[in-house]
PDB file of all heavy atoms in Angstrom:
ATOM      1  N   ILE K1442      12.555  27.606  24.623  1.00  0.00           N
ATOM      2  CA  ILE K1442      13.441  28.702  24.460  1.00  0.00           C
ATOM      3  C   ILE K1442      14.909  28.202  24.443  1.00  0.00           C
ATOM      4  O   ILE K1442      15.693  28.551  23.566  1.00  0.00           O
ATOM      5  CB  ILE K1442      13.274  29.884  25.555  1.00  0.00           C
ATOM      6  CG1 ILE K1442      11.874  30.455  25.453  1.00  0.00           C
ATOM      7  CG2 ILE K1442      14.336  30.870  25.475  1.00  0.00           C
ATOM      8  CD1 ILE K1442      11.512  31.366  26.609  1.00  0.00           C
ATOM      9  N   LEU K1443      15.249  27.381  25.394  1.00  0.00           N
ATOM     10  CA  LEU K1443      16.586  26.824  25.535  1.00  0.00           C
ATOM     11  C   LEU K1443      16.880  26.029  24.205  1.00  0.00           C
ATOM     12  O   LEU K1443      17.927  26.171  23.586  1.00  0.00           O
ATOM     13  CB  LEU K1443      16.758  25.970  26.736  1.00  0.00           C
ATOM     14  CG  LEU K1443      18.187  25.391  26.894  1.00  0.00           C
ATOM     15  CD1 LEU K1443      19.130  26.528  27.323  1.00  0.00           C
ATOM     16  CD2 LEU K1443      18.258  24.370  28.027  1.00  0.00           C
ATOM     17  N   TRP K1444      15.837  25.246  23.826  1.00  0.00           N
ATOM     18  CA  TRP K1444      16.101  24.407  22.621  1.00  0.00           C
ATOM     19  C   TRP K1444      16.399  25.293  21.380  1.00  0.00           C
ATOM     20  O   TRP K1444      17.379  25.133  20.687  1.00  0.00           O
ATOM     21  CB  TRP K1444      14.829  23.711  22.318  1.00  0.00           C
ATOM     22  CG  TRP K1444      14.897  22.759  21.114  1.00  0.00           C
ATOM     23  CD1 TRP K1444      14.653  23.133  19.818  1.00  0.00           C
ATOM     24  CD2 TRP K1444      15.096  21.304  21.152  1.00  0.00           C
ATOM     25  NE1 TRP K1444      14.883  21.987  18.990  1.00  0.00           N
ATOM     26  CE2 TRP K1444      15.134  20.890  19.780  1.00  0.00           C
ATOM     27  CE3 TRP K1444      15.396  20.446  22.117  1.00  0.00           C
ATOM     28  CZ2 TRP K1444      15.357  19.630  19.461  1.00  0.00           C
ATOM     29  CZ3 TRP K1444      15.617  19.083  21.795  1.00  0.00           C
ATOM     30  CH2 TRP K1444      15.631  18.695  20.453  1.00  0.00           C
ATOM     31  N   ARG K1445      15.597  26.416  21.211  1.00  0.00           N
ATOM     32  CA  ARG K1445      15.851  27.259  20.095  1.00  0.00           C
ATOM     33  C   ARG K1445      17.232  27.981  20.197  1.00  0.00           C
ATOM     34  O   ARG K1445      17.991  27.941  19.165  1.00  0.00           O
ATOM     35  CB  ARG K1445      14.754  28.348  20.052  1.00  0.00           C
ATOM     36  CG  ARG K1445      14.804  29.255  18.829  1.00  0.00           C
ATOM     37  CD  ARG K1445      13.688  30.271  18.757  1.00  0.00           C
ATOM     38  NE  ARG K1445      12.408  29.612  18.363  1.00  0.00           N
ATOM     39  CZ  ARG K1445      11.589  30.217  17.497  1.00  0.00           C
ATOM     40  NH1 ARG K1445      11.808  31.352  17.057  1.00  0.00           N
ATOM     41  NH2 ARG K1445      10.465  29.552  17.166  1.00  0.00           N
ATOM     42  N   GLU K1446      17.626  28.361  21.329  1.00  0.00           N
ATOM     43  CA  GLU K1446      18.892  29.093  21.498  1.00  0.00           C
ATOM     44  C   GLU K1446      20.078  28.190  21.293  1.00  0.00           C
ATOM     45  O   GLU K1446      21.049  28.561  20.627  1.00  0.00           O
ATOM     46  CB  GLU K1446      19.011  29.693  22.903  1.00  0.00           C
ATOM     47  CG  GLU K1446      18.077  30.894  23.026  1.00  0.00           C
ATOM     48  CD  GLU K1446      18.101  31.461  24.466  1.00  0.00           C
ATOM     49  OE1 GLU K1446      18.814  30.933  25.353  1.00  0.00           O
ATOM     50  OE2 GLU K1446      17.331  32.517  24.686  1.00  0.00           O
ATOM     51  N   GLU K1447      20.001  26.912  21.801  1.00  0.00           N
ATOM     52  CA  GLU K1447      21.065  25.979  21.627  1.00  0.00           C
ATOM     53  C   GLU K1447      21.209  25.536  20.193  1.00  0.00           C
ATOM     54  O   GLU K1447      22.345  25.333  19.652  1.00  0.00           O
ATOM     55  CB  GLU K1447      20.998  24.841  22.615  1.00  0.00           C
ATOM     56  CG  GLU K1447      21.069  25.229  24.139  1.00  0.00           C
ATOM     57  CD  GLU K1447      22.465  25.770  24.431  1.00  0.00           C
ATOM     58  OE1 GLU K1447      23.364  25.752  23.682  1.00  0.00           O
ATOM     59  OE2 GLU K1447      22.472  26.365  25.544  1.00  0.00           O
ATOM     60  N   VAL K1448      20.128  25.304  19.504  1.00  0.00           N
ATOM     61  CA  VAL K1448      20.205  24.902  18.065  1.00  0.00           C
ATOM     62  C   VAL K1448      20.823  26.039  17.303  1.00  0.00           C
ATOM     63  O   VAL K1448      21.683  25.776  16.394  1.00  0.00           O
ATOM     64  CB  VAL K1448      18.765  24.505  17.549  1.00  0.00           C
ATOM     65  CG1 VAL K1448      18.854  24.263  16.085  1.00  0.00           C
ATOM     66  CG2 VAL K1448      18.290  23.283  18.265  1.00  0.00           C
ATOM     67  N   GLN K1449      20.396  27.213  17.581  1.00  0.00           N
ATOM     68  CA  GLN K1449      20.943  28.422  16.915  1.00  0.00           C
ATOM     69  C   GLN K1449      22.480  28.496  17.202  1.00  0.00           C
ATOM     70  O   GLN K1449      23.294  28.803  16.304  1.00  0.00           O
ATOM     71  CB  GLN K1449      20.218  29.638  17.377  1.00  0.00           C
ATOM     72  CG  GLN K1449      20.617  30.926  16.523  1.00  0.00           C
ATOM     73  CD  GLN K1449      20.106  30.852  15.160  1.00  0.00           C
ATOM     74  OE1 GLN K1449      18.941  30.565  14.901  1.00  0.00           O
ATOM     75  NE2 GLN K1449      21.024  31.089  14.138  1.00  0.00           N
ATOM     76  N   TRP K1450      22.892  28.213  18.428  1.00  0.00           N
ATOM     77  CA  TRP K1450      24.308  28.278  18.772  1.00  0.00           C
ATOM     78  C   TRP K1450      25.055  27.287  17.984  1.00  0.00           C
ATOM     79  O   TRP K1450      26.187  27.613  17.429  1.00  0.00           O
ATOM     80  CB  TRP K1450      24.436  27.924  20.294  1.00  0.00           C
ATOM     81  CG  TRP K1450      25.849  28.177  20.851  1.00  0.00           C
ATOM     82  CD1 TRP K1450      26.321  29.318  21.382  1.00  0.00           C
ATOM     83  CD2 TRP K1450      26.940  27.255  20.790  1.00  0.00           C
ATOM     84  NE1 TRP K1450      27.641  29.125  21.763  1.00  0.00           N
ATOM     85  CE2 TRP K1450      28.049  27.943  21.402  1.00  0.00           C
ATOM     86  CE3 TRP K1450      27.119  25.968  20.334  1.00  0.00           C
ATOM     87  CZ2 TRP K1450      29.283  27.268  21.533  1.00  0.00           C
ATOM     88  CZ3 TRP K1450      28.387  25.389  20.440  1.00  0.00           C
ATOM     89  CH2 TRP K1450      29.417  25.993  21.045  1.00  0.00           C
TER      90      TRP K1450
END
Side-chain angles (χ1 to χ4, degrees):
Chain K
I1442 294 173
L1443 185 69
W1444 183 278
R1445 184 176 284 222
E1446 290 176 357
E1447 295 296 350
V1448 172
Q1449 189 68 49
W1450 188 94

